[in-house]
PDB file of all heavy atoms in Angstrom:
ATOM      1  N   ALA A 602      37.748  -3.576  18.773  1.00  0.00           N
ATOM      2  CA  ALA A 602      36.361  -4.171  18.787  1.00  0.00           C
ATOM      3  C   ALA A 602      35.386  -3.355  17.952  1.00  0.00           C
ATOM      4  O   ALA A 602      34.570  -3.790  17.114  1.00  0.00           O
ATOM      5  CB  ALA A 602      35.924  -4.366  20.132  1.00  0.00           C
ATOM      6  N   PHE A 603      35.527  -2.008  18.178  1.00  0.00           N
ATOM      7  CA  PHE A 603      34.536  -1.058  17.468  1.00  0.00           C
ATOM      8  C   PHE A 603      34.802  -1.216  16.020  1.00  0.00           C
ATOM      9  O   PHE A 603      33.796  -1.262  15.201  1.00  0.00           O
ATOM     10  CB  PHE A 603      34.843   0.367  17.948  1.00  0.00           C
ATOM     11  CG  PHE A 603      34.040   1.322  17.135  1.00  0.00           C
ATOM     12  CD1 PHE A 603      32.779   1.596  17.374  1.00  0.00           C
ATOM     13  CD2 PHE A 603      34.616   2.043  16.167  1.00  0.00           C
ATOM     14  CE1 PHE A 603      31.925   2.495  16.703  1.00  0.00           C
ATOM     15  CE2 PHE A 603      33.924   3.006  15.490  1.00  0.00           C
ATOM     16  CZ  PHE A 603      32.663   3.177  15.696  1.00  0.00           C
ATOM     17  N   MET A 604      36.001  -1.245  15.530  1.00  0.00           N
ATOM     18  CA  MET A 604      36.309  -1.319  14.109  1.00  0.00           C
ATOM     19  C   MET A 604      35.828  -2.660  13.547  1.00  0.00           C
ATOM     20  O   MET A 604      35.400  -2.742  12.378  1.00  0.00           O
ATOM     21  CB  MET A 604      37.779  -1.041  13.836  1.00  0.00           C
ATOM     22  CG  MET A 604      38.320   0.213  14.241  1.00  0.00           C
ATOM     23  SD  MET A 604      37.401   1.564  13.325  1.00  0.00           S
ATOM     24  CE  MET A 604      37.985   1.229  11.572  1.00  0.00           C
ATOM     25  N   LYS A 605      35.919  -3.847  14.247  1.00  0.00           N
ATOM     26  CA  LYS A 605      35.521  -5.046  13.892  1.00  0.00           C
ATOM     27  C   LYS A 605      33.979  -5.070  13.651  1.00  0.00           C
ATOM     28  O   LYS A 605      33.431  -5.746  12.684  1.00  0.00           O
ATOM     29  CB  LYS A 605      35.960  -6.181  14.814  1.00  0.00           C
ATOM     30  CG  LYS A 605      37.316  -6.593  14.650  1.00  0.00           C
ATOM     31  CD  LYS A 605      37.729  -7.594  15.652  1.00  0.00           C
ATOM     32  CE  LYS A 605      39.141  -7.821  15.527  1.00  0.00           C
ATOM     33  NZ  LYS A 605      39.725  -8.856  16.613  1.00  0.00           N
ATOM     34  N   VAL A 606      33.247  -4.240  14.470  1.00  0.00           N
ATOM     35  CA  VAL A 606      31.775  -4.231  14.336  1.00  0.00           C
ATOM     36  C   VAL A 606      31.477  -3.273  13.140  1.00  0.00           C
ATOM     37  O   VAL A 606      30.665  -3.554  12.291  1.00  0.00           O
ATOM     38  CB  VAL A 606      31.180  -3.717  15.607  1.00  0.00           C
ATOM     39  CG1 VAL A 606      29.669  -3.354  15.438  1.00  0.00           C
ATOM     40  CG2 VAL A 606      31.371  -4.745  16.710  1.00  0.00           C
ATOM     41  N   ALA A 607      32.152  -2.041  13.111  1.00  0.00           N
ATOM     42  CA  ALA A 607      31.828  -1.054  12.069  1.00  0.00           C
ATOM     43  C   ALA A 607      32.186  -1.411  10.657  1.00  0.00           C
ATOM     44  O   ALA A 607      31.453  -1.091   9.746  1.00  0.00           O
ATOM     45  CB  ALA A 607      32.461   0.219  12.456  1.00  0.00           C
ATOM     46  N   ARG A 608      33.293  -2.123  10.503  1.00  0.00           N
ATOM     47  CA  ARG A 608      33.804  -2.342   9.192  1.00  0.00           C
ATOM     48  C   ARG A 608      32.777  -3.076   8.319  1.00  0.00           C
ATOM     49  O   ARG A 608      32.652  -2.703   7.120  1.00  0.00           O
ATOM     50  CB  ARG A 608      35.081  -3.181   9.381  1.00  0.00           C
ATOM     51  CG  ARG A 608      35.946  -3.105   8.078  1.00  0.00           C
ATOM     52  CD  ARG A 608      37.308  -3.794   8.255  1.00  0.00           C
ATOM     53  NE  ARG A 608      38.191  -2.944   9.051  1.00  0.00           N
ATOM     54  CZ  ARG A 608      38.738  -3.224  10.210  1.00  0.00           C
ATOM     55  NH1 ARG A 608      38.558  -4.442  10.705  1.00  0.00           N
ATOM     56  NH2 ARG A 608      39.492  -2.319  10.902  1.00  0.00           N
ATOM     57  N   PRO A 609      32.067  -4.145   8.650  1.00  0.00           N
ATOM     58  CA  PRO A 609      31.031  -4.754   7.828  1.00  0.00           C
ATOM     59  C   PRO A 609      29.912  -3.873   7.420  1.00  0.00           C
ATOM     60  O   PRO A 609      29.380  -3.926   6.250  1.00  0.00           O
ATOM     61  CB  PRO A 609      30.622  -6.111   8.595  1.00  0.00           C
ATOM     62  CG  PRO A 609      31.681  -6.233   9.621  1.00  0.00           C
ATOM     63  CD  PRO A 609      32.263  -4.892   9.965  1.00  0.00           C
ATOM     64  N   PHE A 610      29.497  -2.927   8.362  1.00  0.00           N
ATOM     65  CA  PHE A 610      28.486  -2.031   7.935  1.00  0.00           C
ATOM     66  C   PHE A 610      28.907  -1.129   6.870  1.00  0.00           C
ATOM     67  O   PHE A 610      28.243  -0.863   5.945  1.00  0.00           O
ATOM     68  CB  PHE A 610      28.047  -1.135   9.213  1.00  0.00           C
ATOM     69  CG  PHE A 610      27.275  -1.848  10.297  1.00  0.00           C
ATOM     70  CD1 PHE A 610      27.858  -2.551  11.294  1.00  0.00           C
ATOM     71  CD2 PHE A 610      25.887  -1.963  10.177  1.00  0.00           C
ATOM     72  CE1 PHE A 610      27.131  -3.276  12.292  1.00  0.00           C
ATOM     73  CE2 PHE A 610      25.169  -2.668  11.157  1.00  0.00           C
ATOM     74  CZ  PHE A 610      25.710  -3.340  12.207  1.00  0.00           C
ATOM     75  N   VAL A 611      30.166  -0.580   7.011  1.00  0.00           N
ATOM     76  CA  VAL A 611      30.664   0.308   6.081  1.00  0.00           C
ATOM     77  C   VAL A 611      30.881  -0.395   4.678  1.00  0.00           C
ATOM     78  O   VAL A 611      30.534   0.060   3.651  1.00  0.00           O
ATOM     79  CB  VAL A 611      32.044   0.878   6.463  1.00  0.00           C
ATOM     80  CG1 VAL A 611      32.705   1.719   5.455  1.00  0.00           C
ATOM     81  CG2 VAL A 611      31.827   1.787   7.734  1.00  0.00           C
ATOM     82  N   SER A 612      31.260  -1.631   4.785  1.00  0.00           N
ATOM     83  CA  SER A 612      31.653  -2.441   3.635  1.00  0.00           C
ATOM     84  C   SER A 612      30.225  -2.657   2.838  1.00  0.00           C
ATOM     85  O   SER A 612      30.187  -2.629   1.681  1.00  0.00           O
ATOM     86  CB  SER A 612      32.263  -3.786   4.015  1.00  0.00           C
ATOM     87  OG  SER A 612      32.460  -4.541   2.859  1.00  0.00           O
ATOM     88  N   ASP A 613      29.268  -3.037   3.538  1.00  0.00           N
ATOM     89  CA  ASP A 613      27.968  -3.382   3.014  1.00  0.00           C
ATOM     90  C   ASP A 613      27.327  -2.217   2.264  1.00  0.00           C
ATOM     91  O   ASP A 613      26.868  -2.175   1.072  1.00  0.00           O
ATOM     92  CB  ASP A 613      26.865  -3.926   3.949  1.00  0.00           C
ATOM     93  CG  ASP A 613      27.239  -5.252   4.495  1.00  0.00           C
ATOM     94  OD1 ASP A 613      28.129  -5.915   4.001  1.00  0.00           O
ATOM     95  OD2 ASP A 613      26.456  -5.748   5.467  1.00  0.00           O
ATOM     96  N   THR A 614      27.450  -1.003   2.930  1.00  0.00           N
ATOM     97  CA  THR A 614      26.810   0.275   2.422  1.00  0.00           C
ATOM     98  C   THR A 614      27.672   0.694   1.206  1.00  0.00           C
ATOM     99  O   THR A 614      27.138   1.075   0.176  1.00  0.00           O
ATOM    100  CB  THR A 614      26.913   1.281   3.526  1.00  0.00           C
ATOM    101  OG1 THR A 614      26.111   0.870   4.673  1.00  0.00           O
ATOM    102  CG2 THR A 614      26.267   2.540   3.049  1.00  0.00           C
ATOM    103  N   SER A 615      28.974   0.606   1.296  1.00  0.00           N
ATOM    104  CA  SER A 615      29.984   0.945   0.167  1.00  0.00           C
ATOM    105  C   SER A 615      29.715   0.180  -1.022  1.00  0.00           C
ATOM    106  O   SER A 615      29.590   0.620  -2.153  1.00  0.00           O
ATOM    107  CB  SER A 615      31.380   0.794   0.532  1.00  0.00           C
ATOM    108  OG  SER A 615      31.666   1.843   1.601  1.00  0.00           O
ATOM    109  N   SER A 616      29.410  -1.112  -0.735  1.00  0.00           N
ATOM    110  CA  SER A 616      29.082  -1.963  -1.849  1.00  0.00           C
ATOM    111  C   SER A 616      27.854  -1.650  -2.639  1.00  0.00           C
ATOM    112  O   SER A 616      27.725  -1.743  -3.860  1.00  0.00           O
ATOM    113  CB  SER A 616      28.999  -3.451  -1.337  1.00  0.00           C
ATOM    114  OG  SER A 616      28.655  -4.305  -2.343  1.00  0.00           O
ATOM    115  N   LEU A 617      26.776  -1.289  -1.840  1.00  0.00           N
ATOM    116  CA  LEU A 617      25.579  -0.894  -2.510  1.00  0.00           C
ATOM    117  C   LEU A 617      25.674   0.260  -3.354  1.00  0.00           C
ATOM    118  O   LEU A 617      25.265   0.377  -4.458  1.00  0.00           O
ATOM    119  CB  LEU A 617      24.478  -0.718  -1.486  1.00  0.00           C
ATOM    120  CG  LEU A 617      23.817  -1.977  -0.731  1.00  0.00           C
ATOM    121  CD1 LEU A 617      22.943  -1.660   0.422  1.00  0.00           C
ATOM    122  CD2 LEU A 617      23.182  -2.813  -1.768  1.00  0.00           C
ATOM    123  N   PHE A 618      26.544   1.269  -2.810  1.00  0.00           N
ATOM    124  CA  PHE A 618      26.669   2.480  -3.610  1.00  0.00           C
ATOM    125  C   PHE A 618      27.570   2.191  -4.810  1.00  0.00           C
ATOM    126  O   PHE A 618      27.354   2.768  -5.900  1.00  0.00           O
ATOM    127  CB  PHE A 618      27.312   3.648  -2.722  1.00  0.00           C
ATOM    128  CG  PHE A 618      26.266   4.314  -1.911  1.00  0.00           C
ATOM    129  CD1 PHE A 618      26.066   4.000  -0.509  1.00  0.00           C
ATOM    130  CD2 PHE A 618      25.482   5.242  -2.483  1.00  0.00           C
ATOM    131  CE1 PHE A 618      25.188   4.587   0.151  1.00  0.00           C
ATOM    132  CE2 PHE A 618      24.564   5.979  -1.626  1.00  0.00           C
ATOM    133  CZ  PHE A 618      24.394   5.612  -0.309  1.00  0.00           C
ATOM    134  N   LEU A 632      23.234  10.253   1.688  1.00  0.00           N
ATOM    135  CA  LEU A 632      23.033   9.743   3.060  1.00  0.00           C
ATOM    136  C   LEU A 632      22.713  10.890   3.958  1.00  0.00           C
ATOM    137  O   LEU A 632      21.831  10.879   4.890  1.00  0.00           O
ATOM    138  CB  LEU A 632      24.172   8.966   3.503  1.00  0.00           C
ATOM    139  CG  LEU A 632      24.342   7.516   2.959  1.00  0.00           C
ATOM    140  CD1 LEU A 632      25.578   6.945   3.266  1.00  0.00           C
ATOM    141  CD2 LEU A 632      23.090   6.630   3.220  1.00  0.00           C
ATOM    142  N   VAL A 697      19.375   0.404   1.231  1.00  0.00           N
ATOM    143  CA  VAL A 697      20.580   0.686   2.080  1.00  0.00           C
ATOM    144  C   VAL A 697      20.112   0.394   3.481  1.00  0.00           C
ATOM    145  O   VAL A 697      20.839  -0.195   4.263  1.00  0.00           O
ATOM    146  CB  VAL A 697      21.178   2.051   1.796  1.00  0.00           C
ATOM    147  CG1 VAL A 697      22.254   2.369   2.883  1.00  0.00           C
ATOM    148  CG2 VAL A 697      21.671   2.189   0.426  1.00  0.00           C
ATOM    149  N   GLU A 698      19.140   1.033   3.953  1.00  0.00           N
ATOM    150  CA  GLU A 698      18.570   0.965   5.381  1.00  0.00           C
ATOM    151  C   GLU A 698      18.295  -0.534   5.727  1.00  0.00           C
ATOM    152  O   GLU A 698      18.530  -1.005   6.857  1.00  0.00           O
ATOM    153  CB  GLU A 698      17.420   1.789   5.481  1.00  0.00           C
ATOM    154  CG  GLU A 698      17.007   2.082   6.999  1.00  0.00           C
ATOM    155  CD  GLU A 698      15.891   3.101   7.049  1.00  0.00           C
ATOM    156  OE1 GLU A 698      14.970   3.192   6.143  1.00  0.00           O
ATOM    157  OE2 GLU A 698      15.922   3.913   7.951  1.00  0.00           O
ATOM    158  N   GLU A 699      17.756  -1.236   4.704  1.00  0.00           N
ATOM    159  CA  GLU A 699      17.385  -2.715   5.140  1.00  0.00           C
ATOM    160  C   GLU A 699      18.656  -3.527   5.246  1.00  0.00           C
ATOM    161  O   GLU A 699      18.745  -4.325   5.973  1.00  0.00           O
ATOM    162  CB  GLU A 699      16.576  -3.292   3.850  1.00  0.00           C
ATOM    163  CG  GLU A 699      16.220  -4.767   3.941  1.00  0.00           C
ATOM    164  CD  GLU A 699      15.392  -5.156   5.087  1.00  0.00           C
ATOM    165  OE1 GLU A 699      14.652  -4.321   5.629  1.00  0.00           O
ATOM    166  OE2 GLU A 699      15.418  -6.384   5.548  1.00  0.00           O
ATOM    167  N   SER A 700      19.661  -3.271   4.378  1.00  0.00           N
ATOM    168  CA  SER A 700      20.979  -3.880   4.567  1.00  0.00           C
ATOM    169  C   SER A 700      21.625  -3.604   5.846  1.00  0.00           C
ATOM    170  O   SER A 700      22.124  -4.536   6.545  1.00  0.00           O
ATOM    171  CB  SER A 700      21.927  -3.368   3.397  1.00  0.00           C
ATOM    172  OG  SER A 700      23.207  -3.997   3.568  1.00  0.00           O
ATOM    173  N   VAL A 701      21.597  -2.379   6.233  1.00  0.00           N
ATOM    174  CA  VAL A 701      22.140  -1.957   7.539  1.00  0.00           C
ATOM    175  C   VAL A 701      21.347  -2.626   8.701  1.00  0.00           C
ATOM    176  O   VAL A 701      21.853  -3.105   9.637  1.00  0.00           O
ATOM    177  CB  VAL A 701      22.143  -0.439   7.785  1.00  0.00           C
ATOM    178  CG1 VAL A 701      22.499   0.020   9.174  1.00  0.00           C
ATOM    179  CG2 VAL A 701      23.048   0.151   6.714  1.00  0.00           C
ATOM    180  N   TYR A 702      19.956  -2.669   8.563  1.00  0.00           N
ATOM    181  CA  TYR A 702      19.286  -3.426   9.600  1.00  0.00           C
ATOM    182  C   TYR A 702      19.488  -4.789   9.644  1.00  0.00           C
ATOM    183  O   TYR A 702      19.740  -5.378  10.777  1.00  0.00           O
ATOM    184  CB  TYR A 702      17.707  -3.107   9.346  1.00  0.00           C
ATOM    185  CG  TYR A 702      16.863  -3.862  10.318  1.00  0.00           C
ATOM    186  CD1 TYR A 702      16.631  -3.191  11.526  1.00  0.00           C
ATOM    187  CD2 TYR A 702      16.386  -5.093  10.051  1.00  0.00           C
ATOM    188  CE1 TYR A 702      15.804  -3.974  12.531  1.00  0.00           C
ATOM    189  CE2 TYR A 702      15.587  -5.872  10.990  1.00  0.00           C
ATOM    190  CZ  TYR A 702      15.303  -5.232  12.239  1.00  0.00           C
ATOM    191  OH  TYR A 702      14.711  -5.872  13.148  1.00  0.00           O
ATOM    192  N   CYS A 703      19.721  -5.375   8.583  1.00  0.00           N
ATOM    193  CA  CYS A 703      20.045  -6.935   8.586  1.00  0.00           C
ATOM    194  C   CYS A 703      21.361  -7.209   9.130  1.00  0.00           C
ATOM    195  O   CYS A 703      21.501  -8.121  10.033  1.00  0.00           O
ATOM    196  CB  CYS A 703      19.948  -7.513   7.188  1.00  0.00           C
ATOM    197  SG  CYS A 703      18.340  -7.617   6.410  1.00  0.00           S
ATOM    198  N   ARG A 704      22.359  -6.305   8.843  1.00  0.00           N
ATOM    199  CA  ARG A 704      23.663  -6.375   9.498  1.00  0.00           C
ATOM    200  C   ARG A 704      23.550  -6.153  10.997  1.00  0.00           C
ATOM    201  O   ARG A 704      24.218  -6.853  11.771  1.00  0.00           O
ATOM    202  CB  ARG A 704      24.586  -5.518   8.791  1.00  0.00           C
ATOM    203  CG  ARG A 704      25.974  -5.350   9.373  1.00  0.00           C
ATOM    204  CD  ARG A 704      26.813  -6.636   9.293  1.00  0.00           C
ATOM    205  NE  ARG A 704      27.165  -6.898   7.920  1.00  0.00           N
ATOM    206  CZ  ARG A 704      27.901  -7.957   7.557  1.00  0.00           C
ATOM    207  NH1 ARG A 704      28.398  -8.774   8.501  1.00  0.00           N
ATOM    208  NH2 ARG A 704      28.223  -8.076   6.343  1.00  0.00           N
ATOM    209  N   GLY A 705      22.741  -5.196  11.364  1.00  0.00           N
ATOM    210  CA  GLY A 705      22.506  -4.882  12.775  1.00  0.00           C
ATOM    211  C   GLY A 705      21.970  -6.069  13.506  1.00  0.00           C
ATOM    212  O   GLY A 705      22.474  -6.331  14.631  1.00  0.00           O
ATOM    213  N   GLU A 706      20.995  -6.645  12.858  1.00  0.00           N
ATOM    214  CA  GLU A 706      20.422  -7.908  13.588  1.00  0.00           C
ATOM    215  C   GLU A 706      21.397  -8.988  13.747  1.00  0.00           C
ATOM    216  O   GLU A 706      21.394  -9.604  14.856  1.00  0.00           O
ATOM    217  CB  GLU A 706      19.291  -8.512  12.575  1.00  0.00           C
ATOM    218  CG  GLU A 706      17.914  -8.127  12.932  1.00  0.00           C
ATOM    219  CD  GLU A 706      17.421  -8.382  14.342  1.00  0.00           C
ATOM    220  OE1 GLU A 706      17.610  -9.550  14.955  1.00  0.00           O
ATOM    221  OE2 GLU A 706      16.966  -7.453  15.040  1.00  0.00           O
ATOM    222  N   ARG A 707      22.271  -9.173  12.757  1.00  0.00           N
ATOM    223  CA  ARG A 707      23.411 -10.255  12.997  1.00  0.00           C
ATOM    224  C   ARG A 707      24.272  -9.800  14.023  1.00  0.00           C
ATOM    225  O   ARG A 707      24.844 -10.584  14.827  1.00  0.00           O
ATOM    226  CB  ARG A 707      24.036 -10.468  11.662  1.00  0.00           C
ATOM    227  CG  ARG A 707      23.151 -11.259  10.587  1.00  0.00           C
ATOM    228  CD  ARG A 707      23.884 -11.689   9.384  1.00  0.00           C
ATOM    229  NE  ARG A 707      24.606 -10.674   8.617  1.00  0.00           N
ATOM    230  CZ  ARG A 707      24.148 -10.016   7.624  1.00  0.00           C
ATOM    231  NH1 ARG A 707      22.913 -10.032   7.214  1.00  0.00           N
ATOM    232  NH2 ARG A 707      24.853  -9.089   7.049  1.00  0.00           N
ATOM    233  N   ALA A 708      24.720  -8.527  14.053  1.00  0.00           N
ATOM    234  CA  ALA A 708      25.660  -8.021  15.093  1.00  0.00           C
ATOM    235  C   ALA A 708      25.186  -7.943  16.425  1.00  0.00           C
ATOM    236  O   ALA A 708      25.897  -8.286  17.358  1.00  0.00           O
ATOM    237  CB  ALA A 708      26.215  -6.724  14.495  1.00  0.00           C
ATOM    238  N   PHE A 709      23.998  -7.447  16.499  1.00  0.00           N
ATOM    239  CA  PHE A 709      23.525  -7.062  17.967  1.00  0.00           C
ATOM    240  C   PHE A 709      22.300  -8.049  18.355  1.00  0.00           C
ATOM    241  O   PHE A 709      21.838  -7.896  19.401  1.00  0.00           O
ATOM    242  CB  PHE A 709      22.980  -5.672  17.961  1.00  0.00           C
ATOM    243  CG  PHE A 709      24.082  -4.696  17.618  1.00  0.00           C
ATOM    244  CD1 PHE A 709      24.117  -3.907  16.392  1.00  0.00           C
ATOM    245  CD2 PHE A 709      25.263  -4.488  18.470  1.00  0.00           C
ATOM    246  CE1 PHE A 709      25.109  -3.092  16.120  1.00  0.00           C
ATOM    247  CE2 PHE A 709      26.270  -3.650  18.002  1.00  0.00           C
ATOM    248  CZ  PHE A 709      26.134  -3.010  16.882  1.00  0.00           C
ATOM    249  N   GLY A 710      21.896  -8.908  17.580  1.00  0.00           N
ATOM    250  CA  GLY A 710      20.853  -9.761  17.792  1.00  0.00           C
ATOM    251  C   GLY A 710      20.845 -10.720  19.027  1.00  0.00           C
ATOM    252  O   GLY A 710      19.837 -11.058  19.635  1.00  0.00           O
TER     253      GLY A 710
END
Side-chain angles (χ1 to χ4, degrees):
F603 174 79
M604 294 305 292
K605 285 179 182 173
V606 171
R608 200 171 285 123
F610 285 91
V611 172
S612 178
D613 289 354
T614 303
S615 295
S616 179
L617 288 170
F618 280 101
L632 288 170
V697 171
E698 195 171 39
E699 177 66 20
S700 172
V701 169
Y702 177 81
C703 289
R704 174 65 69 180
E706 258 313 303
R707 291 192 303 272
F709 303 113

